[in-house]
Amino acid sequence: MDKVLVATTNRGKLREFRHIFSRYGIEIISLEDMKEKITVEEDRETFLENAIKKAKIYGDFYKIPVITEDAGLEVEALGGYPGVYSARFYSIDFGGKEEVKDNKDVANINKLLRLLKNEKNRKARFVSVVVFYSPEISGIWTEGYCYGSITEKPEGDKGFGYDPVFIPEGYKKTMAQLEIDEKNRISHRGKAVRKLIEILSRLSFEI
Ligand code: ITT
C-alpha cells in the first residue's frame, strides 16, 4: 500500500494524523487532493457507526484505502454529552443553542462552560474511533481514550476544538498548551492510530 487517504474535513485532525504517520514513512493524501468532491453526513448514533459510514462511502467512491475517524468529548456530569454531537454541540437542543460569534469551536466551548457552571464534577474524556477500510481487502477499527477534566476557562492556542478547556490527567496544562508531539503521545487519536498501525503491520499490509 503506497498511499492512504485520510478522509477528514477537519484541518486540526489532519495535521495530527500527518504528524503521527510521518514516523512510519506512510504517505497521507487528504480530501483536498481529490478532484471530485463528495460530502458525507454524520448522522449515526455512535462514533463507530459514523466512522464506518464515512470510510465505506469515501473508500468506495475514490477506490483507494482510506482512514476515517469519528471523535468527540464525553463529559460525565452531562451524561456523556456532547459525545457524537461534539462538532455541532452549539446547535443542538440539549442544553439550549449557542450563538456562533467567532467560530464553531468557540461556540461549543462557551456552551460547555455554561452548562458546567457551578458543577463540581468536571471529569471528561476524549474518544477517538478510527477506521481503516480498503475496498479490495477489508476493514479494521480501533479506539483510543484520553481522560481528564474540564477547566473553568479556556487556556492555550494550539490544537483545535475543545483542547483549550481540557486538562489531561496528570497534567497542569490544557491540551491546547501542549506541543503537537506531546498531544499525540497521550491523545485519544494518537492511541487509536498507533493501535491501527500495529494491527496493519501484523497483517503484513506493508505499513
Ligand atoms: P471529520 O468528520 O470530517 O473528520 P469533524 O470535525 O466533523 O471532521 P468529528 O465528527 O470527529 O470531526 O467531530 C469531532 C469534534 O470533536 C471536533 O470538531 C472537535 O470539536 C471535537 N474533538 C475531537 N477530537 C478533538 C481533539 O483532539 N481536541 C479537541 N477537540 C476534539
Side-chain angles (χ1 to χ4, degrees):
M1 180 164 56
D2 48 355
K3 285 188 219 165
V4 185
L5 169 66
V6 172
T8 176
T9 57
N10 183 318
R11 291 212 168 143
K13 270 192 192 182
L14 182 65
R15 191 164 162 258
E16 291 175 16
F17 270 104
R18 281 197 199 283
H19 191 269
I20 302 168
F21 278 103
S22 64
R23 289 173 170 238
Y24 301 88
I26 298 162
E27 191 192 341
I28 295 297
I29 53 174
S30 77
L31 291 173
E32 285 179 9
D33 301 315
M34 310 313 281
K35 274 202 209 93
E36 272 188 87
K37 309 287 177 199
I38 52 168
T39 50
V40 182
E41 205 190 333
E42 288 176 58
D43 52 3
R44 302 291 154 91
E45 278 171 19
T46 64
F47 294 114
L48 180 58
E49 287 170 293
N50 276 327
I52 290 175
K53 178 180 176 184
K54 287 189 274 190
K56 285 272 303 162
I57 295 177
Y58 285 119
D60 291 340
F61 186 80
Y62 293 118
K63 301 197 169 31
I64 51 170
V66 294
I67 288 175
T68 56
E69 184 206 45
D70 199 35
L73 177 73
E74 292 180 341
V75 177
E76 196 173 271
L78 302 179
Y81 273 89
V84 289
Y85 306 106
S86 293
R88 54 190 168 95
F89 190 41
Y90 68 93
S91 69
I92 65 169
D93 288 337
F94 176 91
K97 296 186 188 195
E98 190 77 26
E99 198 189 331
V100 180
K101 288 187 197 129
D102 304 313
N103 62 58
K104 292 174 184 175
D105 282 351
V106 173
N108 283 334
I109 285 177
N110 288 343
K111 175 164 173 177
L112 180 65
L113 294 181
R114 169 167 62 75
L115 296 180
L116 290 181
K117 207 163 182 234
N118 301 324
E119 173 61 59
K120 292 264 176 320
N121 177 6
R122 320 232 13 134
K123 283 190 205 158
R125 67 177 186 182
F126 276 124
V127 183
S128 161
V129 176
V130 173
V131 168
F132 168 84
Y133 171 64
S134 165
E136 285 171 9
I137 310 168
S138 186
I140 296 165
W141 66 274
T142 57
E143 64 193 333
Y145 297 91
C146 180
Y147 289 82
S149 59
I150 304 299
T151 57
E152 305 278 342
K153 62 177 175 56
E155 300 273 6
D157 55 10
K158 300 184 179 77
F160 66 95
Y162 298 89
D163 283 341
V165 291
F166 183 88
I167 299 193
E169 244 172 32
Y171 282 73
K172 291 207 163 71
K173 291 179 188 175
T174 69
M175 202 77 127
Q177 292 173 306
L178 302 182
E179 296 301 330
I180 188 167
D181 39 346
E182 189 156 22
K183 175 175 174 184
N184 280 339
R185 205 161 48 235
I186 61 164
S187 78
H188 47 310
R189 180 164 304 107
K191 289 174 187 163
V193 173
R194 284 190 295 272
K195 269 191 224 167
L196 181 77
I197 292 171
E198 196 192 309
I199 296 171
L200 290 175
S201 53
R202 258 195 271 134
L203 294 174
S204 308
F205 267 90
E206 293 170 11
I207 204 158

